[in-house]
Amino acid sequence: MRLTTYVNFAGRCAEAFRYYEEHLGATTGMLMTHEQAPQPSPLPAEWAKAVLHGRIRIGDLEVMAADIPNAEPMRSAYLTLSVDSDADAERVFAALAHQGRQLMPLQETFFASRFGQVQDQFGINWMILHERPRPAR
């Protein structure tokens, strides 16, 4: 069994995927638009180039996504990126905060040398985490 996150965008899925490729090193595996679907789309013609189904890999995480009319930003869920260094945390946080909004500043905490929360310009909530090493028992 495998759990996969599915995210809905309000018409900016392909743009978001390109941004994540550029700034997070993501790899798009699939991107099918409504006009490419084997069945006619029930959506209006202006949605023909919108994403019907997409799949992207960000590190070890695979995320699926689509464009849905009237999609709302994520409410209480976050995609969490665990990074290997403080410098990575700062770079990723800055890229995701660009034209987005900072929900919790990137800072040192008791459990992480860097931890912060941001909503990107596409309405997706992210937690950026560089955990402290766990003490040996």
Side-chain angles (χ1 to χ4, degrees):
M1 185 180 302
R2 185 174 76 186
L3 175 67
T4 302
T5 301
Y6 205 102
V7 178
N8 291 322
F9 294 88
R12 298 180 69 193
C13 182
E15 181 185 356
F17 275 27
R18 287 189 300 272
Y19 192 85
Y20 302 152
E21 286 175 341
E22 181 180 347
H23 295 282
L24 303 179
T27 305
T28 298
M30 177 186 187
L31 201 65
M32 177 186 280
T33 64
H34 286 272
E35 69 185 358
Q36 295 170 325
Q39 305 273 341
S41 175
L43 294 180
E46 61 266 18
W47 283 84
K49 302 241 183 263
V51 175
L52 172 65
H53 179 70
R55 184 183 301 263
I56 191 167
R57 180 164 292 284
I58 303 171
D60 294 333
L61 173 70
E62 186 171 78
V63 176
M64 291 188 275
D67 284 317
I68 305 295
N70 304 315
E72 295 182 25
M74 298 169 76
R75 292 183 182 184
S76 296
Y78 290 80
L79 299 180
T80 302
L81 287 175
S82 296
V83 297
D84 295 330
S85 70
D86 289 352
D88 283 345
E90 291 164 11
R91 179 188 60 77
V92 167
F93 188 88
L96 294 172
H98 178 73
Q99 296 184 355
R101 67 185 181 109
Q102 187 174 280
L103 303 173
M104 172 186 256
L106 190 65
Q107 59 193 329
E108 188 172 345
T109 69
F110 70 93
F111 60 89
S113 59
R114 293 291 184 279
F115 176 77
Q117 298 174 346
V118 63
Q119 185 177 77
D120 71 19
Q121 61 185 306
F122 309 105
I124 304 302
N125 294 334
W126 297 88
M127 282 192 232
I128 311 305
L129 173 68
H130 180 221
E131 287 186 280
R132 293 185 184 283
R134 294 192 176 145
R137 291 183 179 221

